[in-house]
Amino acid sequence: MIRSFSVTDIGKKRKLNQDYVYVCETPIGNLPNLFVVADGMGGHNAGDFASKCAVETIVREVRGCFEKNPVRILSKAIRIANDQIRKKAGEDESLLGMGTTVVAATCLGHYLQVANVGDSRLYIIGSGIRQITRDHSLVEEMVRMGGIDRKAARNHPDKNIITRAIGALDTVEIDFFHEELTPGDIVLMCSDGLTNMLEDEEIESILKEPVAIEEKAGRLIEAANNNGGKDNIAVIIIDAFARE
């Protein structure tokens, strides 16, 4: 039995919440379940419009898709969301330049299928904590090329510059990950409002506390805000092997 909990928080510094989440534990279209985190960007209300539009489009497309393969289902839905955001931005000058990250996942028994664009993340917490997605960000590219180390990347002034987003270009490049889950694993999906405020070890520590997932989510939000809360925070926690 799958159990999940989702929450977003405006944080301590922002006037708008541009994070948007979606959770469906039951079948949707040809997927057994669906979880999505989107972190919008753009001036005024463009960022929150972008994240909401992307998630709603993905959900609609997944629901109506005849494909059976989860990668094809998610790929088609995300590409159509990209087209939709480009179209809306072209029709309304106030939405020009908007975009959003998207990380989407579906649990297929003991396996997790993940799609990612941008720097929102998916982790699996088991014996340790593993970041499954790779950030599409300028600083992450610098780390991969050996230009800076992981510690320097954490406080780099350009750390919020992302290299891929839904709505940025006419075509969108999506990363896919297929991971095995074992009983006891917890899946965390989140926006950078969480990961910029907390080290992975702090996230792991909170998620391993012997409390309900709702309580774990609340503690993550509280800890991120206590550390500065500089951005909106989105969290989805999934227990794919919850007991009845």
Side-chain angles (χ1 to χ4, degrees):
M1 176 190 169
I2 197 165
R3 283 200 67 239
S4 66
F5 184 75
S6 64
V7 61
T8 69
D9 189 87
I10 197 166
K12 288 188 160 180
K13 305 290 184 186
R14 298 294 173 96
K15 291 185 168 61
L16 277 175
N17 190 347
Q18 298 187 324
D19 288 359
Y20 201 82
V21 297
Y22 175 84
V23 163
C24 183
E25 296 173 0
T26 53
I28 171 170
N30 287 328
L31 293 181
N33 45 67
L34 180 64
F35 306 92
V36 189
V37 169
D39 177 1
M41 66 208 81
H44 307 295
N45 67 340
D48 57 328
F49 182 93
S51 57
K52 185 172 187 283
C53 176
V55 174
E56 288 178 348
T57 303
I58 288 166
V59 170
R60 185 183 69 239
E61 292 303 319
V62 167
R63 192 171 276 133
C65 188
F66 295 110
E67 294 277 4
K68 294 282 193 282
N69 182 302
V71 171
R72 286 185 183 164
I73 294 169
L74 291 172
S75 176
K76 187 177 179 191
I78 290 169
R79 290 182 202 288
I80 290 171
N82 188 73
D83 294 343
Q84 189 72 2
I85 286 174
R86 300 281 291 170
K87 179 173 174 283
K88 296 280 187 189
E91 293 168 352
D92 185 342
E93 202 173 294
S94 70
L95 301 177
L96 209 58
M98 71 174 171
T100 183
T101 70
V102 160
V103 58
T106 183
C107 293
L108 310 151
H110 281 256
Y111 291 91
L112 186 71
Q113 185 64 60
V114 185
N116 181 55
V117 179
D119 65 352
S120 294
R121 293 180 180 177
L122 184 143
Y123 291 89
I124 295 175
I125 296 89
S127 55
I129 182 167
R130 285 190 298 136
Q131 182 183 336
I132 304 304
T133 52
R134 283 199 310 263
D135 296 351
H136 301 136
S137 68
L138 191 62
V139 167
E140 183 62 26
E141 297 288 338
M142 290 160 70
V143 171
R144 282 208 284 269
M145 299 289 282
I148 57 170
D149 63 24
R150 185 70 58 193
K151 194 173 180 185
R154 202 161 167 78
N155 300 304
H156 197 281
D158 294 333
K159 69 182 314 231
N160 292 325
I161 299 174
I162 64 173
T163 53
R164 283 191 224 170
I166 306 287
L169 299 168
D170 287 339
T171 57
V172 60
E173 192 179 344
I174 310 161
D175 281 357
F176 290 96
F177 305 89
H178 189 69
E179 294 290 326
E180 188 170 3
L181 295 171
T182 56
D185 284 349
I186 294 287
V187 176
L188 169 69
M189 301 167 67
C190 59
S191 62
D192 67 347
L194 182 75
T195 53
N196 282 344
M197 294 294 103
L198 298 178
E199 299 283 356
D200 286 3
E201 294 73 23
E202 294 173 277
I203 292 171
E204 180 187 7
S205 174
I206 290 168
L207 288 173
K208 287 189 169 176
E209 290 173 8
V211 295
I213 56 173
E214 295 84 355
E215 180 73 15
K216 293 179 203 274
R219 291 182 186 183
L220 286 174
I221 298 283
E222 185 181 12
N225 278 326
N226 286 345
N227 281 3
K230 292 179 183 175
D231 200 352
N232 310 143
I233 310 153
V235 167
I236 298 177
I237 300 174
I238 307 162
D239 183 353
F241 305 100
R243 292 187 178 90
E244 294 276 357

